[in-house]
Amino acid sequence: SALSLHPPRRSARLIVAELQGDTAAATELARHLEDELHALGFPKESRPYWPHITLARAKLPMRLDPTQR
């Protein structure tokens, strides 16, 4: 996995660990959960599946300029 900031610009709000390698099991789990939740009335996600684990979320965008503290 790799750590990354999202969106990957100065106004990042998420720190995530992106899953790499064989993500077939995670992708299948996500598809199964989405199908089951859709059957209960939840809308399907319009964005493509992105295998990751959210480590931190900021309410306000994080300042990423290393020259400012």
Side-chain angles (χ1 to χ4, degrees), residues 2-9 12-16 18 50 62 64:
L3 293 179
S4 61
L5 302 171
H6 288 273
R9 295 183 184 84
R13 295 183 58 152
L14 295 176
I15 299 173
V16 301
E18 295 188 49
W50 171 41
M62 295 178 271
L64 300 177

Side-chain angles (χ1 to χ4, degrees), residues 52-67:
H52 73 284
I53 298 169
T54 300
L55 302 174
R57 181 183 305 266
K59 288 185 180 183
L60 300 174
M62 295 178 271
R63 174 168 277 163
L64 300 177
D65 185 347
T67 63

Side-chain angles (χ1 to χ4, degrees), residues 2-69:
L3 293 179
S4 61
L5 302 171
H6 288 273
R9 295 183 184 84
R10 290 181 152 216
S11 60
R13 295 183 58 152
L14 295 176
I15 299 173
V16 301
E18 295 188 49
L19 303 180
Q20 298 175 341
D22 185 4
T23 60
T27 301
E28 178 61 21
L29 175 62
R31 187 200 59 76
H32 179 72
L33 287 171
E34 184 173 51
D35 289 346
E36 293 297 317
L37 290 168
H38 184 68
L40 295 173
F42 289 88
K44 287 198 171 194
E45 178 62 61
S46 61
R47 298 171 293 181
Y49 176 66
W50 171 41
H52 73 284
I53 298 169
T54 300
L55 302 174
R57 181 183 305 266
K59 288 185 180 183
L60 300 174
M62 295 178 271
R63 174 168 277 163
L64 300 177
D65 185 347
T67 63
Q68 295 184 6
R69 293 187 178 250

